[in-house]
């Protein structure tokens, strides 16, 4: 759970050297590789192509449904010997299909349509995170992001509130604006008192105007403040016996 934080290229190279020195296989879990590529493509981060990002690894897994939005499926890459053995284990684990054509067609279409969208999606994520931070600060709410500034089109949003208060505030926004600022919450790894959700920016939520985001999150923070004050009052009430 790293919330869209991207490993620095210098650290990738250090890990590669460590693996080589100890005769370890270096594998990339590239479920979010598509999201990370614009980060590495920037000049200050190395100006790397996808091939260069994958080069240090002995094998790479990449998803076709995460980020790209394909039907389902993934691809495993490596040298010929590795892939030949992987095909055997694919059958041993029952992963072979009669035909993968429908998935291949859908995934290729998703790749062709979405492969160049991630820079724009990251820029929108940065813009929206700035809006949410302003809304939180104006209402005295504590909302934090991992990372603080999005490095790709995925972040974790941490809200300092009870799950009950946050969900009630969310529902009030739905009732008044017909906008749901998040779906569900989980206990946050930031510590007690925080709950978080994973925020992935794609073509649908990325197409929503900044004004709508600002209105919805302003209302959410306002409603959350009201609910927290009510909870605080209830906690202070002392019911004395007769």
């Amino acid at each position: 759970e790293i919330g869209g934080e991207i490993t620095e290229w210098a650290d990738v190279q250090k890990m590669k050297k460590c693996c080589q020195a100890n005769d370890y296989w270096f594998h990339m879990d590239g479920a979010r590789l598509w999201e990370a590529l614009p980060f590495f493509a920037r000049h200050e981060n190395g100006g790397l192509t996808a091939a260069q990002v994958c080069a240090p690894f002995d094998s790479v897994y990449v998803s076709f449904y995460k980020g790209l939005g394909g039907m389902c499926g993934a691809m495993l890459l490596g040298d010929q010997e590795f892939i030949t053995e992987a095909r055997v284990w694919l059958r041993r684990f029952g992963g072979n299909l009669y035909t993968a054509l429908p998935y291949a067609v859908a995934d290729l279409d998703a790749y062709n349509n979405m492969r160049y969208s991630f820079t724009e999606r990251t820029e929108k994520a940065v813009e929206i995170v700035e809006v949410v931070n302003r809304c939180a600060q104006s209402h005295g709410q504590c909302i934090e992001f991992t990372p603080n500034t999005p490095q790709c089109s995925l972040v974790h949003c941490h809200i300092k509130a009870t799950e009950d208060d946050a969900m009630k505030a969310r529902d009030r926004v739905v009732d008044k604006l017909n906008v749901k600022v998040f779906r569900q919450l989980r206990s946050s790894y930031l510590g007690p008192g925080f709950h978080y959700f994973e925020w992935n920016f794609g073509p649908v939520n990325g197409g929503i105007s900044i004004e709508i985001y600002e209105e919805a999150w302003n209302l959410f923070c306002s409603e959350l403040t009201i609910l927290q004050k009510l909870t605080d009052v209830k906690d202070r009430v002392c019911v004395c016996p007769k």
Side-chain angles (χ1 to χ4, degrees):
E1 292 291 351
I2 58 175
E5 289 185 275
I6 297 175
T7 304
E8 295 292 336
W9 187 244
D11 291 331
V12 173
Q13 293 174 313
K14 289 177 183 177
M15 286 187 279
K16 175 64 175 178
K17 289 180 180 179
C18 179
C19 288
Q20 288 177 324
N22 293 279
D23 198 26
Y24 293 149
W25 196 268
F26 195 28
H27 174 73
M28 178 202 291
D29 180 348
R32 297 294 183 182
L33 175 61
W34 310 116
E35 285 90 337
L37 287 177
F39 174 86
F40 290 115
R42 293 199 289 272
H43 177 73
E44 62 269 25
N45 298 323
L48 303 172
T49 64
Q52 290 171 322
V53 171
C54 295
F57 298 89
D58 297 297
S59 56
V60 175
Y61 154 86
V62 63
S63 174
F64 287 124
Y65 74 92
K66 288 185 177 180
L68 293 177
M71 186 184 296
C72 69
M75 183 165 59
L76 182 65
L77 302 94
D79 62 29
Q80 186 62 56
E81 182 181 358
F82 171 75
I83 294 301
T84 298
E85 185 174 358
R87 288 186 183 277
V88 175
W89 282 101
L90 178 69
R91 286 188 171 274
R92 285 174 178 167
F93 285 122
N96 56 300
L97 301 172
Y98 176 75
T99 176
L101 182 60
Y103 306 103
V105 171
D107 293 340
L108 179 60
D109 181 66
Y111 173 75
N112 289 332
N113 287 326
M114 304 305 296
R115 59 188 291 197
Y116 297 117
S117 69
F118 292 98
T119 297
E120 183 179 352
R121 286 156 70 165
T122 301
E123 292 170 353
K124 189 63 177 281
V126 171
E127 193 175 6
I128 292 171
V129 164
E130 290 175 352
V131 166
V132 175
N133 280 328
R134 285 200 303 271
C135 294
Q137 290 168 9
S138 67
H139 291 277
Q141 286 297 330
C142 182
I143 296 179
E144 297 186 20
F145 289 91
T146 307
N148 293 327
T149 299
Q151 296 175 324
C152 66
S153 58
L154 184 150
V155 293
H156 284 177
C157 179
H158 308 263
I159 303 170
K160 192 170 186 180
T162 66
E163 184 177 3
D164 186 58
D165 282 346
M167 296 298 281
K168 285 179 180 178
R170 180 206 69 176
D171 291 343
R172 290 186 179 185
V173 176
V174 173
D175 291 339
K176 294 179 180 180
L177 299 179
N178 197 30
V179 175
K180 184 177 285 188
V181 291
F182 58 82
R183 280 197 261 180
Q184 297 294 330
L185 293 172
R186 293 183 280 179
S187 295
S188 173
Y189 48 86
L190 290 188
F194 281 93
H195 290 83
Y196 85 102
F197 66 95
E198 186 172 277
W199 206 347
N200 193 356
F201 295 91
V204 177
N205 60 0
I208 299 172
S209 71
I210 289 297
E211 290 74 21
I212 291 176
Y213 276 106
E214 188 164 15
E215 182 181 18
W217 277 96
N218 258 321
L219 181 57
F220 172 80
C221 291
S222 175
E223 295 291 349
L224 183 58
T225 299
I226 293 170
L227 288 164
Q228 288 173 329
K229 287 180 179 178
L230 288 173
T231 300
D232 187 55
V233 169
K234 289 178 183 178
D235 290 341
R236 293 171 183 271
V237 170
C238 178
V239 180
C240 300
K242 293 182 179 178

